[in-house]
Amino acid sequence: MSAIDDLPPLRDVIATHGLSARKSLGQNFLLDLNLTAKIARQAGDLSGSDVLEIGPGPGGLTRGLLSEGARKVLAIEKDARCLPALAEIADRYPGQLQVIEGDALDIDPLEHLTPPIRVAANLPYNVGTELLVRWLTPPTWPPFWQSLTLMFQREVAERIVAQPGSKAYGRLAVLAQWRSDARIVLSLPPEAFTPPPKVSSAVVHLTALTAPRFDADAAVLSRVVAAAFNQRRKMLRAALKGTAPDIEDRLLAAGIKPTDRAEQVPLEGFCALAREVAKG
Ligand code: SAM
């Protein structure tokens, strides 16, 4: 029996179901259920929410989310070996855990969830950034989610909360901070995971704002920011040359010096530039 429920400890679950970690699937498991419950608490009050979890693996965070009172958890897992272990959790919490086997990049979770929806995950490193960018860039706002509570490599977490002028400031910071509040809420050493990864990790909590901080079209802003930071050492007028005709005039109209570099431009500047570029 474990600390948070009457299911077996995760080490036993892994041994029983032969869940040796696979690097190709980004498998670094959390086995301490007190820690997974703590991560679940960072997601906020779960009692009235459905929770989307990507990559439940043997179910440590899933159990944390359910023991913290999530109304329902929808867990999407690519590794079929994990399904029997997850089925045991579903039996323990009847009607509260739905597991879908598949690639989170291909599955639309919204068919299975009722708002309000929170997302919580110890993300597989190989798809984590792509999923985050998708969740941050829907054409309309607010998005389907109320909050995202996500484990990343520490370096990625720092890029999400970075401020202008810092080395970590880039596309992720602009897209995350444009329409949400983002903060690092927990830091974890490699030893918190089995097997331990090479780097430290951190949990980032993002809360969706009701409206964007500054007006801009999501697709145009994404394009402008991607181009600006793709060649971050270049002056903006050179980095953005292919983005729109007369880019120097548009930069000036947005209040940005064409000789500045991307990392000097605050969020407000990028949104102003996206509006100028959108004029066609
Ligand atoms: N949540 C578990 C935990 O905290 O111990 C496992 C986290 S592990 C870092 C990432 C999990 O994501 C693995 O179980 C892996 O099989 C799964 N995964 C990898 N790629 C995936 C994908 N494209 N879609 C869904 N799950 C994926």
Side-chain angles (χ1 to χ4, degrees), residues 252-274:
L252 289 168
I256 301 169
K257 275 200 246 146
T259 52
D260 273 356
R261 277 145 181 101
E263 80 177 42
Q264 296 165 270
V265 179
L267 170 61
E268 186 174 5
F270 279 118
C271 291
L273 181 58

Side-chain angles (χ1 to χ4, degrees), residues 35 38-39 42 151 154 184-188 201-204:
L35 180 58
K38 188 171 171 183
I39 296 168
Q42 302 298 329
M151 177 90 69
R154 173 95 209 170
I184 293 179
V185 290
L186 217 57
S187 294
L188 284 95
S201 301
V203 176
V204 185

Side-chain angles (χ1 to χ4, degrees), residues 25-30 53 55-57 76-78 102-104 122 124:
L25 287 167
Q27 291 182 335
N28 300 98
F29 300 135
L30 290 167
E53 185 190 0
I76 302 176
E77 173 57 61
K78 194 171 174 182
D103 188 330
N122 174 13

Side-chain angles (χ1 to χ4, degrees), residues 12-279:
D12 295 357
V13 172
I14 284 176
T16 307
H17 297 287
L19 300 178
S20 51
R22 292 203 175 138
K23 214 172 167 182
S24 59
L25 287 167
Q27 291 182 335
N28 300 98
F29 300 135
L30 290 167
L31 302 189
D32 177 350
L33 289 159
N34 289 313
L35 180 58
T36 62
K38 188 171 171 183
I39 296 168
R41 282 196 290 280
Q42 302 298 329
D45 179 11
L46 300 178
S47 58
S49 299
D50 281 7
V51 181
L52 169 64
E53 185 190 0
I54 307 300
L61 181 58
T62 320
R63 286 164 64 177
L65 293 164
L66 289 163
S67 76
E68 287 302 315
R71 182 172 66 192
K72 172 185 171 171
V73 176
L74 174 69
I76 302 176
E77 173 57 61
K78 194 171 174 182
D79 185 353
R81 295 180 309 154
C82 299
L83 301 184
L86 296 167
E88 286 172 10
I89 307 173
D91 286 345
R92 164 66 182 76
Y93 292 94
Q96 280 180 273
L97 173 60
Q98 181 183 357
V99 180
I100 300 182
E101 181 195 345
D103 188 330
L105 294 171
D106 300 334
I107 291 166
D108 178 6
L110 293 187
E111 289 170 23
H112 309 279
L113 293 166
T114 312
I117 299 165
R118 295 180 186 271
V119 179
N122 174 13
L123 286 172
Y125 71 92
N126 45 352
V127 291
T129 312
E130 183 166 350
L131 283 169
L132 175 65
V133 169
R134 279 194 198 182
W135 291 328
L136 292 173
T137 53
T140 57
W141 204 259
F144 76 86
W145 50 271
Q146 220 172 44
S147 67
L148 309 174
T149 306
L150 307 172
M151 177 90 69
F152 286 103
Q153 296 177 21
R154 173 95 209 170
E155 184 216 311
V156 177
E158 279 167 5
R159 279 164 39 202
I160 296 167
V161 303
Q163 295 300 305
S166 68
K167 240 174 119 181
Y169 183 63
R171 181 175 75 123
L172 283 185
V174 172
L175 295 180
Q177 295 170 37
W178 175 38
R179 302 191 283 192
S180 59
D181 272 326
R183 59 201 169 86
I184 293 179
V185 290
L186 217 57
S187 294
L188 284 95
E191 311 81 72
F193 302 85
T194 303
K198 288 203 178 68
V199 294
S200 295
S201 301
V203 176
V204 185
H205 183 74
L206 299 104
T207 314
L209 299 174
T210 45
R213 286 183 215 280
F214 307 102
D215 196 29
D217 176 85
V220 178
L221 181 64
S222 290
R223 195 154 50 83
V224 165
V225 172
F229 285 100
N230 206 13
Q231 304 184 65
R232 55 191 300 143
R233 281 202 293 251
K234 283 196 179 170
M235 291 178 192
L236 282 165
R237 69 171 169 226
L240 294 173
K241 213 164 61 189
T243 317
D246 311 318
I247 194 65
E248 192 146 348
D249 293 343
R250 293 178 205 251
L251 282 161
L252 289 168
I256 301 169
K257 275 200 246 146
T259 52
D260 273 356
R261 277 145 181 101
E263 80 177 42
Q264 296 165 270
V265 179
L267 170 61
E268 186 174 5
F270 279 118
C271 291
L273 181 58
R275 294 196 297 275
E276 290 302 322
V277 169
K279 285 179 184 166

